[in-house]
Amino acid sequence: MPLVTTADMFRSAYEGGYAIGAFNVNNMEIIQGIVQAGQALRAPLILQVSKGARAYANHAYLVKLVEAAIETTGLPIALHLDHGPDYATCKSCIDGGFSSVMIDGSHLPYEENVAETKRVVEYAHAHGVTVEGELGQLAGVEDDVSVNAEDASYTKPEQVQDFVGRTGVDSLAIAIGTSHGAYKFKPGQNPQLRFDILEEVGRRLPGFPIVLHGASSVPQEFVKQINQYGGALDDAIGIPEEMLRQAAKMAVCKINIDSDLRLALTAALRKHLAENPGHFDPRQYLTPARAAIQAMVEHKIETVLGCANKI
Ligand code: G3H
Ligand code: 13P
Ligand code: ZN
């Protein structure tokens, strides 16, 4: 089976009241852990690659690894560019075999976001590739861009029809209170998502797939485990999983998760090395790290996404 686009996945997800997990990938073990979870629970998957991941692992390696994942599992998998910073990067991913791209013009003035997104859509659609755009700005850190909480801004529902109509995007990322990274809210804060904005966006764009970025929940057991075995993470809380589940039952069809995978992998790695100080064969410590990724993705599929047994 070749790579699939997100079009059919999102149609079924919208109708079925569930979401597809979009997991960031940087190396073989992360890809294997994610697809083993998808295989175990018969879940469609989006594997997404950031600009930083391409710089780290090399575009060609990532494409070949994802092709190998499809060959060995037979799963429907979309390979997606996460936070495409410009037209050139999107074009390079489209030419280089991705089935889906995001053009992130959320930091641009509105008209420039429309123009850049439309340009990417025209090229992508001519090559059978789906496109995600973004309106509104999340707080947090992604690649080399850091957005302070004060500079973050919720999506304006009154802009979404104009944006989708003029650009032709296939899905839209919106800002309703999620944020990137492991430090979303301080202990004692009460995370809230703006479901009123999501509802209004859904009303204005019936049947249209919405995307949530910054949707990690920062499980406390992993933060504790990392710190117990020599780490030094600050205390923080993420997005409550029940809120994400609720969003997935609404118009949200794609939920982006990266930080929780990083935490799960690092916690397993630190524990293993602390308990086995004599180990220096990467296969010894990457085996539990890969298993931790699989367990985390299975947990997300079952409790947050609701996409088990959808293939
Ligand atoms: O939103 C950003 C993702 O977590 C990717 O992170 O740019 O460090 O690869 P990265
Ligand atoms: P998290 O940092 O919450 O995992 O978000 C990841 C993301 O949005 C990737 O685009
Ligand atoms: Zn993101």
Side-chain angles (χ1 to χ4, degrees):
M1 182 195 274
L3 280 171
V4 297
T5 70
T6 54
D8 289 341
M9 285 183 183
F10 288 167
R11 207 168 297 120
S12 305
Y14 197 100
E15 283 164 13
Y18 63 89
I20 313 291
F23 301 100
N24 286 73
V25 300
N26 294 281
N27 69 12
M28 183 184 78
E29 283 77 10
I30 296 173
I31 292 172
Q32 289 177 332
I34 296 167
V35 300
Q36 281 162 9
Q39 203 172 18
L41 297 179
R42 300 194 48 74
L45 293 167
I46 298 171
L47 300 181
Q48 57 185 14
V49 168
S50 67
K51 175 182 151 194
R54 285 177 93 220
Y56 170 78
N58 179 301
H59 179 100
Y61 276 88
L62 292 168
V63 171
K64 296 291 179 200
L65 285 168
V66 172
E67 283 171 3
I70 293 171
E71 194 180 309
T72 51
T73 64
L75 287 173
I77 293 178
L79 175 55
H80 175 77
L81 169 65
D82 189 28
H83 294 285
D86 49 37
Y87 177 82
T89 309
C90 292
K91 181 176 184 302
S92 161
C93 287
I94 294 163
D95 294 345
F98 282 35
S99 60
S100 180
V101 294
M102 174 189 191
I103 171 70
D104 183 355
S106 59
H107 56 286
L108 297 171
Y110 181 75
E111 287 300 328
E112 285 176 40
N113 188 2
V114 169
E116 183 79 340
T117 304
K118 186 172 172 357
R119 193 166 165 231
V120 171
V121 169
E122 280 166 6
Y123 190 78
H125 285 182
H127 293 80
V129 168
T130 43
V131 180
E132 174 184 327
E134 179 164 354
L135 270 181
Q137 248 191 314
L138 272 63
V141 181
E142 79 205 25
D143 262 332
D144 39 14
V145 182
S146 170
V147 181
N148 295 324
E150 311 83 70
D151 296 330
S153 52
Y154 294 117
T155 302
K156 297 185 178 78
E158 58 276 18
Q159 288 183 332
V160 298
Q161 281 160 306
D162 182 72
F163 186 81
V164 168
R166 285 169 65 198
T167 60
V169 282
D170 304 282
S171 61
L172 181 68
I174 62 169
I176 58 167
T178 60
S179 61
H180 287 111
Y183 301 113
K184 298 183 194 303
F185 300 98
K186 295 199 170 68
Q189 279 186 309
N190 188 16
Q192 292 296 339
L193 295 188
R194 291 287 304 272
F195 283 102
D196 57 322
I197 295 179
L198 175 57
E199 211 169 292
E200 183 58 19
V201 168
R203 205 183 58 72
R204 288 173 186 252
L205 295 172
F208 190 81
I210 298 303
V211 177
L212 275 194
H213 283 246
S216 279
S217 297
V218 191
Q220 294 304 293
E221 65 267 32
F222 292 115
V223 175
K224 285 203 182 84
Q225 189 171 314
I226 289 170
N227 289 346
Q228 179 187 346
Y229 293 107
L233 298 185
D234 293 337
D235 282 341
I237 33 183
I239 312 298
E241 292 192 331
E242 59 279 9
M243 289 188 190
L244 296 165
R245 184 73 199 97
Q246 190 184 335
K249 288 180 182 162
M250 300 168 69
V252 170
C253 295
K254 172 174 179 272
I255 294 189
N256 285 13
I257 296 164
D258 186 2
S259 298
D260 282 355
L261 300 186
R262 296 177 180 190
L263 291 168
L265 187 153
T266 305
L269 201 57
R270 280 196 176 274
K271 181 172 191 289
H272 182 89
L273 289 173
E275 289 176 349
N276 301 276
H279 281 182
F280 62 96
D281 178 342
R283 292 170 296 188
Q284 291 171 316
Y285 51 81
L286 291 177
T287 297
R290 181 172 58 191
I293 293 277
Q294 178 175 350
M296 173 58 77
V297 174
E298 288 185 13
H299 171 78
K300 295 291 176 188
I301 288 170
E302 287 184 317
T303 49
V304 169
L305 302 161
C307 63
N309 297 312
K310 300 298 184 189
I311 52 176

